Every structure is written in structure tokens, then in C-alpha cells.
Amino acid sequence: MQSESREPILKTNLKTILILIISIVFISLLLFRSLFFKSTYLLKSFGELSIDPEIAFTNNKPTFLEFYAEWCEVCKEMAPQVSAFKDEYEKDINFVFLNVDNQKWGNYIQKFAVNGIPQVNLFDKKGNLISTFIGKQDEIKIRESINNLEKEEKPYEEIINAEFSTIQENKNNKVSPRSHG
């Protein structure tokens, strides 16, 4: 008789413990989601906080222009490094981030012949293209190019790493007045 009265209590305790564990896991994911998904959130924030390219090319500041996609693994891998550049140089350089999946940026994708991402183009304050980086890049090389933006004589350089994502043409997306950036 005693075992029959313990059974509902055990079931209730087990349910309570299970609910508690699920709650703890869920709350932990919410609190620490930026750690788990930091690169993806960085990429999203890049696009949301980006300076409009038309403003960047006309405000007499050098420009860091990155073409990226949220699904691009190399873009995700480089996001913390790019974020550090942005934090360090934001006062002196425009940072423009264009998502290649957004047809709104199609004219820029064509103009700068973007075939692989991430692609970073560095421009001097007059809007002259100084460097193009395609694929995964070494932080030191990008930093060196950023620091050279202020120099008067700058030969153009293109640095391509075999580790990049190929852009696939998306024929389903049409540009319309309702396209969002």
C-alpha cells in the first residue's frame, strides 16, 4: 500500500525536475546565445548598422566595403576579426557591409565583380579602389592595407585565398520597391 502512494509523488517529482532542467537549458541558451551564435549575430548586425554606400563614397573618408552572406562559413569565421577592425577604425573609416543575397545590392555586386565571398574592397578617401581581398584573409595583411589607405601613393593589390564561398545566382529574387536592405 505504501508503494502505491509513493508512485504519484515520484512521478510529480520527476516531472518537476524535468521541467526545471528544460527551463535551465532554455534560459542558458537565451542568456548565452551571443556566445553560441556570435558570428551569425555579428553578420546580421553588420548589415543593419552599415553606412549606406552612396554616403560612404562621398564623405571624404576611406571605405571598407565587405560583401558577405549570413550562410557563408568563411564570412562567419572572419566576422570577429572584421568586428575588431570596425571597433578600432570606425572613427576614421566608413564600414559598409552588403549582403549578396539582397538584390538591392546587385549593381554593386556587378560593379565590383563579386564572385566569391567574403570580398573586402578598400577605397581611399577619393573613392579609388586600393585593395581587394577575396576569401579568408590574414588579419595582419588587412590591417596593413587599412593603414596604407592614408598614404599618397598606393598601388592596387588583389589578394585571393582559395578558401571562399561561391555566389550562386538567385533567380527567384526580383528587385522591387519593397526590397529591403
Side-chain angles (χ1 to χ4, degrees):
M1 209 158 188
Q2 206 172 16
S3 67
E4 287 180 11
S5 65
R6 282 180 138 189
E7 205 170 292
I9 293 172
L10 285 175
K11 283 184 179 179
T12 304
N13 285 343
L14 192 58
K15 284 181 184 177
T16 305
I17 291 170
L18 189 59
I19 289 171
L20 185 63
I21 290 171
I22 291 171
S23 298
I24 290 170
V25 169
F26 183 72
I27 290 169
S28 296
L29 282 174
L30 285 176
L31 293 175
F32 299 107
R33 71 179 179 262
S34 62
L35 293 176
F36 297 127
F37 307 108
K38 182 176 184 180
S39 295
T40 303
Y41 281 109
L42 281 174
L43 288 176
K44 281 184 182 273
S45 73
F46 288 165
E48 292 167 2
L49 302 174
S50 176
I51 295 175
D52 185 273
E54 294 302 318
I55 293 170
F57 290 125
T58 58
N59 69 0
N60 288 328
K61 284 172 64 175
T63 299
F64 178 105
L65 170 63
E66 180 175 352
F67 294 93
Y68 74 98
E70 291 176 20
W71 50 261
C72 169
E73 292 303 319
V74 179
C75 299
K76 289 178 190 177
E77 191 176 330
M78 287 187 61
Q81 172 185 321
V82 171
S83 181
F85 288 142
K86 187 175 183 299
D87 291 344
E88 183 175 346
Y89 294 102
E90 192 169 32
K91 290 182 177 133
D92 303 315
I93 297 175
N94 298 306
F95 279 83
V96 178
F97 299 94
L98 304 180
N99 187 331
V100 298
D101 290 333
N102 187 333
Q103 293 301 308
K104 176 180 178 179
W105 307 123
N107 58 335
Y108 290 100
I109 292 167
Q110 286 181 339
K111 181 177 181 179
F112 297 112
V114 180
N115 293 313
I117 52 173
Q119 177 171 317
V120 173
N121 293 347
L122 297 177
F123 300 87
D124 65 14
K125 63 183 176 185
K126 295 177 184 173
N128 299 313
L129 181 60
I130 302 303
S131 303
T132 299
F133 297 92
I134 300 172
K136 185 176 179 183
Q137 298 296 323
D138 181 34
E139 177 182 346
I140 294 168
K141 189 66 180 163
I142 294 176
R143 183 177 303 282
E144 185 180 288
S145 292
I146 289 173
N147 290 331
N148 285 335
L149 286 174
E150 292 301 317
K151 292 185 178 173
E152 285 303 314
E153 241 179 78
K154 303 168 276 272
Y156 172 76
E157 65 177 337
E158 181 175 81
I159 299 151
I160 301 174
N161 183 319
E163 203 174 326
F164 65 88
S165 298
T166 304
I167 297 176
Q168 302 292 325
E169 186 176 337
N170 186 349
K171 295 180 176 139
N172 295 332
N173 285 346
K174 302 248 192 253
V175 178
S176 75
R178 295 177 186 239
S179 297
H180 297 289

